[in-house]
Amino acid sequence: MHVLVGYATAHGSTRGVAERLAAGLCRAGLKADVRPLEDVNDADGYGAFVLGSAVHNQSWLDPARGFLRDNSELLGSRPVWIFSVGMPGALRGPWKRMAPREASVIVRSLSADLSYRGHRLFSGIIRASQLPRGGRIRFRLMGGRYGDHRDWDAIDGWASEIAVELRHA
């Protein structure tokens, strides 16, 4: 099975998640390519898809949403998993408890026609330089912590789950 692990990233942490997912699929005996979604013009060459995007304002980035729109018929006929990379791991207190609710908001913002087998919301990297001044103030008031919040064990575990499903398909 040849799998596309496609991503849209703003600052690079989503690419890192995609690379880790692909590495896990390869360890399980699958062939996986990691590619930015805006560069994919041969999607019909893949038998399955793991697609993700950084999340800004509770929505995927334009290149990722565009890929879903432009390939909706193809994606409807093949196994698809989706992932989002945001900042739930960077939050504390009541904001941290509310963060998992963001996953359903993100999914609702995607194409209603999208059929997928699973979605995960992972935390990414957040740096002060990525936010405007007002955003840095709000982030700190919410108890936000800068840094790399990616949970590599959770990412590896999900790659294993996808691999098991694909091998039994």
Side-chain angles (χ1 to χ4, degrees):
M1 172 77 60
H2 196 178
V3 182
L4 171 64
V5 182
Y7 66 90
T9 191
H11 302 287
S13 63
T14 305
R15 180 183 60 243
V17 171
E19 289 169 347
R20 187 72 171 238
L21 288 166
L25 295 173
C26 290
R27 278 192 305 277
L30 300 166
K31 183 177 179 186
D33 294 339
V34 181
R35 297 173 62 190
L37 289 171
E38 65 259 19
D39 294 346
V40 177
N41 56 11
D42 57 348
D44 57 340
Y46 294 96
F49 298 88
V50 180
L51 307 172
S53 177
V55 174
H56 288 191
N57 298 317
Q58 296 186 316
S59 185
W60 273 20
L61 301 178
D62 288 341
R65 288 196 322 265
F67 182 87
L68 295 180
R69 180 187 60 248
D70 296 345
N71 294 283
S72 63
E73 188 173 314
L74 175 67
L75 295 173
S77 67
R78 313 235 171 125
V80 176
W81 289 263
I82 59 174
F83 67 96
S84 304
V85 178
M87 62 176 190
L91 302 174
R92 294 182 189 172
W95 297 106
K96 185 169 186 75
R97 288 189 296 278
M98 291 172 42
R101 296 182 191 161
E102 183 180 25
S104 62
V105 174
I106 295 165
V107 169
R108 281 195 307 270
S109 75
L110 300 175
S111 169
D113 298 342
L114 179 63
S115 175
Y116 59 92
R117 295 185 178 197
H119 172 259
R120 290 292 195 284
L121 172 59
F122 296 114
S123 293
I125 300 169
I126 186 155
R127 295 184 180 97
S129 62
Q130 296 169 337
L131 300 173
R133 185 174 187 272
R136 290 191 303 271
I137 292 168
R138 280 190 300 281
F139 184 72
R140 285 311 219 176
L141 288 173
M142 293 170 54
R145 299 171 294 136
Y146 295 110
D148 187 343
H149 301 282
R150 292 175 291 186
D151 182 342
W152 297 118
D153 289 338
I155 294 164
D156 291 343
W158 196 50
S160 294
E161 290 174 29
I162 292 170
V164 166
E165 246 187 278
L166 284 173
R167 285 196 315 263
H168 291 101

